[in-house]
Amino acid sequence: MDKPVVVVLFGGRSSEHSISSATAGGVLRAINRDRFRVIPVGITPSGAFVLEDDAPEKFALDPERMPRVEDNGTRIIWPEAAGSSTLRVRRADGREEDLGHVDVVLPILHGPHGEDGTIQGFLDTVELPYAGGGVLDSALCMDKHFMKIALQAAGVPVAPWITLRAADWSGDRSAAAARIAERAAGLELPWFVKPARAGSSVGVSKVDTVDELAEALDIAFAEDDKVLVEQGLHGREIEVGVLEGRGGEPARSSLPGEIVLTGRSFYDFEGKYLGGDGVEVVCPAAMSDDDAAACREMALRAFDAVDGQGLARVDFFLTDAGPVVNELNTMPGFTPVSMFPKCWIATGMTYAELISELIDTALERG
């Protein structure tokens, strides 16, 4: 029997390009080659789809030299019509080669143009099955403003916030900052200022005093033309993995993990991916059975509220009043040391089994 053919799709146009590439290194190393044949397809920062090397070491996570997809001159030719599943490549010299039938795409893309429903819509259009979130849940969870609205409508608690557009940060900066501070006056400090549509803590700043607001807004608006100012919550930072159910079964949640800050004010990009000091990723988290059950149940409620598909990582603040959802991530960090795999490993899966689970779910969904 022929092995299912999996396109591992990574890189992309977002500021999280290197994290996606590093995730690809882990996936290419761990995917079960006895079960699947792999075609690595990279997306360059300028948006070109290229046939990449099946070389995990090329995409190792190295803080001194972050991995990236370079333009090697090849171009992937996707199926030309719905119903076809043949992938082709045009080589740098113009020759075209047939790469054969594709069974499923594993898009391990982070940020805009990959985690926001756009690539999912493209794959739906050409009728190629794919793992992970669908169009709706990806788009909702990519935009923190609309994600919060959907969660609130389902009765899932979220942190208080205001949403700003680029027009709110135009003209005189001092006057604009004063107007925004007045709008945010009902939110208790500290505030977190974050782009609405970015991940991996890119563009996020913690604001302890109003005097720090203008610089934080500059950083956030450099990433997106929509920005949230969110009330900081006091509580433990807890994360739970969710996987779509199979065969009509309900979704499943992992054991909770915890971000323990020992020397950072918040869990920033350096702490997540570059091995920065001052943060520990602990899974399973040390907590009571009741707190763990509350977080796992709330993760499933949040997943259902956004019509979750495939997988998600649900991030909480565990406050004295119970868990409050910070965000859902439909393609969470997936390197071997990221929280999402670590939580499922603590729950009883291996990293390779987790990758297979995502692919098998997508194949069943068709």
Side-chain angles (χ1 to χ4, degrees), residues 70 74 110 141 159 192 205 234 263 299 319 323:
E70 303 290 353
T74 65
H110 303 304
C141 294
F192 283 90
S205 300
H234 300 286
T319 70

Side-chain angles (χ1 to χ4, degrees), residues 299-321:
L300 295 174
R301 284 179 57 193
F303 190 70
D304 287 343
V306 299
D307 275 354
Q309 177 178 302
L311 76 160
R313 192 193 68 228
V314 186
D315 301 347
F316 302 92
F317 286 99
L318 182 58
T319 70
D320 291 340

Side-chain angles (χ1 to χ4, degrees), residues 11-330:
R13 293 170 54 193
S14 84
S15 57
E16 298 171 81
H17 175 100
S18 291
I19 299 306
S20 171
S21 301
T23 295
V27 169
L28 291 174
R29 182 175 291 105
I31 193 168
N32 188 340
R33 304 290 180 142
D34 292 332
R35 291 197 54 205
F36 305 112
R37 183 167 76 85
V38 175
I39 302 176
V41 174
I43 306 176
T44 69
S46 63
F49 290 80
V50 301
L51 183 64
E52 261 294 358
D53 299 324
D54 191 355
E57 65 281 357
K58 180 178 178 180
F59 301 104
L61 181 57
D62 180 357
E64 301 300 320
R65 185 179 176 277
M66 295 292 283
R68 57 184 280 130
V69 177
E70 303 290 353
D71 192 340
N72 57 22
T74 65
R75 291 296 183 268
I76 291 294
I77 304 171
W78 292 95
E80 296 178 357
S84 170
S85 58
T86 299
L87 200 68
R88 296 158 63 213
V89 61
R90 185 170 64 249
R91 298 288 181 180
D93 61 6
R95 292 179 298 113
E96 291 189 5
E97 295 178 20
D98 192 335
L99 298 176
H101 167 84
V102 171
D103 292 285
V104 65
V105 178
L106 176 57
I108 46 176
L109 298 161
H110 303 304
H113 313 293
E115 196 181 353
D116 58 358
T118 50
I119 196 72
Q120 291 78 12
F122 168 72
L123 295 171
D124 280 338
T125 301
V126 296
E127 294 186 348
L128 281 179
Y130 56 92
V135 173
L136 177 61
D137 56 324
S138 297
L140 266 179
C141 294
M142 189 70 221
D143 190 310
K144 297 177 180 66
H145 170 80
F146 289 108
M147 176 200 69
K148 283 174 171 284
I149 290 173
L151 293 175
Q152 277 189 328
V156 175
V158 298
W161 85 101
I162 63 170
T163 299
L164 307 172
R165 303 309 202 278
D168 296 311
W169 191 232
S170 61
D172 181 83
R173 287 292 194 266
S174 296
R179 288 193 300 270
I180 292 168
E182 186 175 354
R183 285 181 56 188
L187 306 178
E188 295 179 11
L189 287 164
W191 300 332
F192 283 90
V193 179
K194 55 182 70 173
R197 294 163 293 203
S200 296
S201 298
V202 173
V204 178
S205 300
K206 184 181 181 182
V207 172
D208 291 303
T209 69
V210 174
D211 292 341
E212 299 170 353
L213 179 60
E215 182 180 0
L217 290 169
D218 277 336
I219 293 169
F221 274 114
E223 292 292 331
D224 196 358
D225 60 7
K226 181 161 54 169
V227 165
L228 275 63
V229 179
E230 188 177 78
Q231 178 175 305
L233 296 177
H234 300 286
R236 299 168 66 184
E237 293 192 49
I238 303 296
E239 300 184 353
V240 174
V242 178
L243 289 172
E244 178 184 348
R246 294 173 58 186
E249 292 296 314
R252 295 156 289 159
S253 59
S254 74
L255 291 173
E258 182 173 10
I259 307 301
V260 181
L261 301 177
T262 58
R264 290 181 180 272
S265 61
F266 72 100
Y267 193 32
D268 59 5
F269 183 90
E270 183 181 4
K272 285 183 178 180
Y273 298 112
L274 304 185
D277 295 332
V279 61
E280 297 178 16
V281 177
V282 179
C283 194
M287 56 173 41
S288 69
D289 290 345
D290 286 347
D291 281 343
C295 289
R296 296 180 75 171
E297 188 270 337
M298 189 69 75
L300 295 174
R301 284 179 57 193
F303 190 70
D304 287 343
V306 299
D307 275 354
Q309 177 178 302
L311 76 160
R313 192 193 68 228
V314 186
D315 301 347
F316 302 92
F317 286 99
L318 182 58
T319 70
D320 291 340
V324 177
V325 173
N326 184 34
E327 66 176 306
L328 282 84
N329 193 315
T330 56

